[in-house]
Amino acid sequence: MKSDVEIAQEAKMNAIVEVAKELEIPAEELELYGNYKAKVSLKTWERIKDRPNGKLILVSAINPTPAGEGKTTTTVGLGDSLRRKGKKVVIALREPSLGPCFGVKGGAAGGGYSQVVPMEDINLHFTGDFHAITTAHNLLAAILDNHLHHGNALGIDPRRITWRRVLDLNERALRFIVCGLGGKANGVPRESGFDITVASEMMAILCLAKDLDDMKERIGRIIIAYTHDGKPVTPNDLKVTGALTLLFKDAIKPNLVQTLENTPAFVHGGPFANIAHGCNSVSATKYALKLADYCVTEAGFGADLGAEKFIDIKCRFAGFQPSAVVIVATVRALKMHGGVPKNELAGENMAALEKGLANLTKHIENIQQFGLPAVVAINAFPTDTANELNFVEEKCNAMGAEVALSEVWAKGSLGGQVLAEKVLAACEKPNNFTFAYDEKAPIKDKIAAIATKIYGADGVNYTSAAEKTIQELTTMGFDKTPICMAKTQYSLSDDMTKMGRPTGFKVTVREVRVAAGAGFLVAITGEIMTMPGLPKEPSAVKMDIDNSGKIVGLF
């Protein structure tokens, strides 16, 4: 089997203007970045905004394991499969971050014969959206430190500056820093640090803003620090909201690319789901829903993170309502959730499969709690046995969830025809869409609802610092907002070692941050980090490029 990058390099791509024609987007509404990628003009929205919405299909997954699940691959393959059936479809994905690209996982644009292309461009600098986010975030940090240096007219308390800097790479050495050293000419010394760009509130705002005016309003209310008498400080106070918004004049426009089978795909925005809200932009999704009969999108990591935030944050803000949810799993991953080491997954092990299946059934329960029909996509592996596949299907069917074997990695759209049929049928089922909590409820009640309903926890513990912040935020009026949980992706609990379906645990909230511009509170649990580190052998050591520009090792 060829590598993903080799398959992508052999793809016969259509010119992006031809891909756009399928969506009835004229060439004059495209801003071209070469022949195969483009931004769609904001004028397009004015032309299509009164059209009825198509159906929204969300692809989620079980908690990820080193055995692999294939959520993005399934998303792309399902979109191609629906198009093969004659449906007008658009795929909507997040942009990959350079952090994991050069860190643990390599590229993130699907796999096998279900990829979005040009794969190298999408995984690297693409159209510069992440650079715009990084620059805007760090411009605000620079303006803030400059304000301190030039007399601090607002009376900002240097000990209560909450706005760190960002970088779109994994860099543990920058998690905690001291800046402003070197004497009076070099600023005011203080402690600070770096987060990864995908954790930036600027990223969340880009992905939640309806338009530039909405983005400007959101940026203006970001809380970046507090004064000595406890008053919040914002970009509006520093008079830089307009300049910050200016940096997003192009980044706010959705990026249009295609799959290996030339299905149109929007790839726009990219917050992580373990430390941010994990969904592609509202802008790209709303375009897709107006331009096609079906929009197939994904949310990061397992349904406990991505799907919950997609529903409780993105759908709440944008007014979206999914028609069906696909939960991706593999027999290999389920056995790993059942305690089987990665090097022993090839053999049939029904006891481990039954134990690990509890992770999948919990995610099915969660989707059903949201009132949505669920379809389970089992990503096929050659080592899967008939006994294992039948057992998974029987258990899922007993819960009212359809199951389809997906072979889109190896066969493209031909391997996803059964999955497409079952998803189309699910889209026509009764839909009792609801949220996990009332956003107007007290902060602790909302966190408890997520922890108990979605994770299966017995309750929530809070550090004294988190307790104090919750009281302060409630007093300041920031309690009537959704919650964005920052939690390990590897477990339903906040302990990454507890695989399967853990019970008898409590979630510990160690910190609560306000994202006033994005419009939610971030509850940080367990040992989750907002700046990841690199593994002992980063993916970067396997990558190279020759003199002709051919890339190897990207994925």
Side-chain angles (χ1 to χ4, degrees):
M1 182 71 179
K2 297 174 182 176
S3 70
D4 289 345
V5 69
E6 288 173 331
I7 292 170
Q9 287 168 345
E10 295 175 0
K12 294 181 179 179
M13 291 183 284
N14 289 338
I16 199 65
V17 291
E18 296 301 316
V19 177
K21 282 182 182 178
E22 187 168 321
L23 300 177
E24 301 172 16
I25 301 174
E28 57 267 25
E29 292 181 7
L30 298 177
E31 297 174 10
L32 301 179
Y33 285 67
N35 293 324
Y36 305 113
K37 54 187 187 289
K39 282 191 170 290
V40 180
S41 169
L42 299 179
K43 295 177 183 177
T44 302
W45 178 249
E46 293 304 312
R47 180 172 59 82
I48 65 175
K49 64 182 181 181
D50 294 327
R51 294 181 181 180
N53 281 346
K55 292 186 181 295
L56 181 58
I57 300 164
L58 172 63
V59 180
S60 189
I62 62 173
N63 291 94
T65 70
E69 290 72 42
K71 176 162 50 61
T72 305
T73 300
T74 303
T75 304
V76 175
L78 174 58
D80 283 338
S81 299
L82 290 168
R83 182 167 174 263
R84 178 175 281 273
K85 286 187 171 297
K87 305 300 181 183
K88 189 175 184 181
V89 59
V90 179
I91 297 163
L93 302 172
R94 292 172 298 158
E95 300 177 51
S97 164
L98 291 175
C101 182
F102 291 115
V104 176
K105 62 186 291 187
Y113 288 92
S114 292
Q115 299 185 55
V116 282
V117 285
M119 181 262 234
E120 298 107 317
D121 293 1
I122 293 168
N123 277 305
L124 297 174
H125 300 288
F126 200 23
T127 59
D129 294 343
F130 280 27
H131 297 299
I133 294 163
T134 302
T135 303
H137 185 112
N138 291 337
L139 172 60
L140 180 53
I143 293 289
L144 190 154
D145 276 310
N146 185 62
H147 182 87
L148 293 180
H149 175 71
H150 287 290
N152 192 7
L154 293 175
I156 296 169
D157 185 346
R159 299 164 300 178
R160 298 199 66 192
I161 292 174
T162 57
W163 195 251
R164 291 152 59 92
R165 286 169 169 81
V166 296
L167 182 72
D168 191 36
L169 290 171
N170 294 3
E171 177 56 291
R172 63 169 55 84
L174 293 177
R175 285 174 183 160
F176 301 99
I177 67 167
V178 177
C179 62
L181 298 181
K184 184 177 180 180
N186 295 308
V188 177
R190 64 181 184 86
E191 293 184 27
S192 187
F194 277 75
D195 296 325
I196 192 166
T197 295
V198 288
S200 168
E201 188 174 351
M202 292 289 190
M203 172 67 83
I205 289 172
L206 173 70
C207 290
L208 291 172
K210 299 173 184 176
D211 51 34
L212 273 172
D213 284 341
D214 186 31
M215 173 165 255
K216 185 183 293 185
E217 195 276 330
R218 288 173 179 272
I219 288 174
R221 66 175 189 244
I222 296 171
I223 295 176
I224 57 175
Y226 294 89
T227 63
H228 285 288
D229 55 1
K231 294 179 180 178
V233 179
T234 68
N236 283 342
D237 295 321
L238 292 171
K239 299 181 173 58
V240 290
T241 302
L244 297 170
T245 308
L246 173 63
L247 289 168
F248 290 101
K249 72 179 185 65
D250 294 317
I252 196 170
K253 301 166 188 173
N255 305 303
L256 181 65
V257 289
Q258 62 193 291
T259 70
L260 292 175
E261 298 188 22
N262 312 120
T263 301
F266 285 118
V267 179
H268 193 221
F272 283 172
N274 57 347
I275 53 180
H277 77 281
C279 310
N280 74 292
S281 74
V282 165
S283 179
T285 306
K286 73 178 187 179
Y287 274 61
L289 288 170
K290 298 296 185 183
L291 291 166
D293 296 326
Y294 294 90
C295 170
V296 184
T297 190
E298 69 165 5
F301 297 126
D304 57 320
L305 288 170
E308 186 272 316
K309 294 172 183 179
F310 183 91
I311 291 167
D312 281 323
I313 296 176
K314 181 174 179 177
C315 289
R316 195 189 299 265
F317 283 151
F320 297 149
Q321 179 169 328
S323 295
V325 179
V326 177
I327 305 173
V328 181
T330 63
V331 168
R332 289 164 49 86
L334 291 173
K335 286 190 289 190
M336 201 163 190
H337 271 292
V340 178
K342 186 179 179 180
N343 61 355
E344 297 177 17
L345 294 172
E348 183 175 282
N349 188 330
M350 300 303 293
L353 178 60
E354 182 171 14
K355 183 179 178 182
L357 190 62
N359 185 270
L360 172 58
T361 56
K362 174 56 177 164
H363 288 300
I364 295 172
E365 287 176 17
N366 288 347
I367 297 306
Q368 292 173 341
Q369 283 189 75
F370 289 119
L372 298 169
V375 177
V376 175
I378 301 296
N379 234 341
F381 275 79
T383 55
D384 298 345
T385 69
N387 282 342
E388 291 171 329
L389 293 171
N390 289 336
F391 182 74
V392 173
E393 184 166 9
E394 288 172 7
K395 292 293 185 181
C396 294
N397 286 167
M399 297 182 65
E402 291 290 333
V403 179
L405 189 66
S406 174
E407 299 179 280
V408 297
W409 183 85
K411 300 178 181 179
S413 64
L414 287 174
Q417 292 301 292
V418 175
L419 174 61
E421 290 169 6
K422 294 195 173 185
V423 170
L424 287 171
C427 286
E428 304 305 321
K429 288 183 177 179
N431 189 316
N432 300 307
F433 181 59
T434 189
F435 300 113
Y437 55 81
D438 178 356
E439 67 180 304
K440 303 301 182 185
I443 294 171
K444 284 189 174 182
D445 288 0
K446 289 179 285 198
I447 293 174
I450 297 170
T452 57
K453 291 181 184 179
I454 307 301
Y455 306 158
D458 291 340
V460 183
N461 293 323
Y462 296 88
T463 64
S464 57
E467 290 272 13
K468 181 181 178 182
T469 303
I470 288 171
Q471 292 175 5
E472 290 175 346
L473 292 174
T474 300
T475 301
M476 294 167 64
F478 289 113
D479 55 324
K480 306 294 191 294
T481 61
I483 301 293
C484 181
M485 298 290 282
K487 180 185 76 68
T488 178
Q489 65 270 35
Y490 298 113
S491 173
L492 284 161
S493 75
D494 59 351
D495 179 350
M496 66 179 293
T497 66
K498 293 180 177 178
M499 300 181 72
R501 183 174 181 170
T503 57
F505 68 93
K506 289 188 175 183
V507 170
T508 298
V509 174
R510 75 169 200 264
E511 184 181 351
V512 178
R513 299 178 183 175
V514 58
F520 53 68
L521 302 181
V522 182
I524 299 178
T525 70
E527 299 178 358
I528 196 73
M529 292 284 186
T530 51
M531 171 54 90
L534 291 168
K536 185 174 182 179
E537 184 174 293
S539 296
V541 303
K542 303 171 186 176
M543 299 177 188
D544 203 356
I545 185 169
D546 66 20
N547 197 49
S548 69
K550 185 176 181 179
I551 291 171
V552 295
L554 186 58
F555 200 65

